[in-house]
Amino acid sequence: MKLSAVSKAVALGLSLAYLAGCSTSGKTTDAGQGTDMSSGSTYGTDSGNANGAMDASAIANIPSVFYFDFDSSEIKPEYRDALATHAQYIRSNPSVHVRLEGNTDEWGTREYNLALGERRAKAVAAFLMDQGVNSSSIETVSYGEEKPANPSSNKDAWSENRRVELKYQ
């Protein structure tokens, strides 16, 4: 079967439109920008100064608390764009250091929760280092269940307490 030039052009245009539609998943857009899936707000890396370095005001509205599922140290996909933006900020400001504070809910032994909080903090540290952040800019600490964001003992509180807080020093 022979296709005319017009048919080929239409087929090519439809293919390109399909591919363009597939590439806009809502997670990564252009120039390192992303969407915070929990709030729908867009943030990115385009608020730097003339030499490309980001200033403190550019990072102020980026989420810095990252929540985890029960008994997990796996970074949720919805936090990857925010963490990548933090990584760019840290890379572009060599004097900046961060402390990653791993936390858990009250379930489990004290020792287990300290270890889980450490795994969570180290997972975030590994992500930042994969993004080019120097390990000397990162400190990890685990508080286990000792510093709950929500001291209640219910499902909502437990979810709030399973987190890593990224704090600039």
Side-chain angles (χ1 to χ4, degrees):
M1 175 177 166
K2 274 189 157 182
L3 295 175
S4 69
V6 172
S7 296
K8 288 179 186 177
V10 169
L12 177 62
L14 290 173
S15 296
L16 291 174
Y18 174 77
L19 290 174
C22 290
S23 68
T24 57
S25 65
K27 283 170 84 179
T28 301
T29 59
D30 227 27
Q33 291 182 344
T35 302
D36 178 349
M37 302 306 272
S38 60
S39 69
S41 64
T42 299
Y43 49 85
T45 57
D46 59 349
S47 32
N49 61 26
N51 65 5
M54 294 175 67
D55 60 19
S57 65
I59 202 72
N61 294 322
I62 305 300
S64 61
V65 179
F66 307 98
Y67 298 96
F68 291 80
D69 289 331
F70 176 76
D71 199 29
S72 174
S73 58
E74 184 177 327
I75 297 170
K76 294 180 179 183
E78 61 262 29
Y79 298 125
R80 294 183 183 277
D81 290 335
L83 283 167
T85 303
H86 283 288
Q88 182 189 0
Y89 174 73
I90 298 163
R91 283 192 324 266
S92 67
N93 294 281
S95 63
V96 167
H97 295 280
V98 294
R99 183 175 59 239
L100 303 172
E101 299 178 351
N103 297 272
T104 67
D105 59 30
E106 63 193 54
W107 292 95
T109 65
R110 182 179 188 282
E111 294 78 18
Y112 181 82
N113 286 337
L114 285 170
L116 179 57
E118 182 176 356
R119 285 195 308 273
R120 288 173 175 168
K122 287 188 178 202
V124 173
F127 182 92
L128 294 174
M129 288 186 286
D130 286 347
Q131 298 288 313
V133 174
N134 190 319
S135 62
S136 65
S137 299
I138 303 170
E139 172 191 357
T140 60
V141 63
S142 174
Y143 293 115
E145 63 188 85
E146 301 302 316
K147 289 191 169 191
N150 184 335
S152 298
S153 186
N154 58 51
K155 189 176 179 177
D156 291 337
W158 298 327
S159 292
E160 289 177 49
N161 294 333
R162 299 178 197 130
R163 69 194 190 284
V164 167
E165 294 185 33
L166 184 151
K167 295 188 175 178
Y168 287 97
Q169 300 182 317

